[in-house]
Amino acid sequence: MVTAGSALAIVTSTGMYTQIGKIQKGVAIAKQSMDNIKTPLGQQLDEFGNTLTQIIGVICITVWLISIPKFQDSTFGSTLEGA
């Protein structure tokens, strides 16, 4: 353990050219190659999201269709305000 003194150092490489930089570059390349691959859980979540979107869309359209007769209600003033 050094507690006092002085030293002279020569920097041979920085950033991505150091050993840690090379490791980081390898991790980045591995991550890019894994971005296109979906796990079984990821695939199931995508399918669930698509199904949920379709169900919500059907519910919204159904509610809108059920409400069409109420668009002409005199409370709203006009058909556009009722919609």
Side-chain angles (χ1 to χ4, degrees), residues 27-39 46:
V27 169
I29 290 171
K31 182 182 181 299
Q32 286 176 349
S33 66
M34 293 299 290
D35 282 345
N36 298 333
I37 299 172
K38 293 209 175 195
T39 63
D46 284 345

Side-chain angles (χ1 to χ4, degrees), residues 17-55:
Y17 302 105
T18 63
Q19 290 302 315
I20 293 175
K22 290 177 185 175
I23 292 170
Q24 198 281 328
K25 182 178 178 183
V27 169
I29 290 171
K31 182 182 181 299
Q32 286 176 349
S33 66
M34 293 299 290
D35 282 345
N36 298 333
I37 299 172
K38 293 209 175 195
T39 63
L41 177 61
Q43 292 172 349
Q44 288 179 345
L45 286 171
D46 284 345
E47 290 174 20
F48 174 71
N50 290 337
T51 303
L52 188 62
T53 301
Q54 291 172 353
I55 290 170

Side-chain angles (χ1 to χ4, degrees), residues 51-67:
T51 303
L52 188 62
T53 301
Q54 291 172 353
I55 290 170
I56 291 171
V58 168
I59 291 171
C60 290
I61 291 171
T62 303
V63 168
W64 186 78
L65 289 172
I66 290 170
S67 299

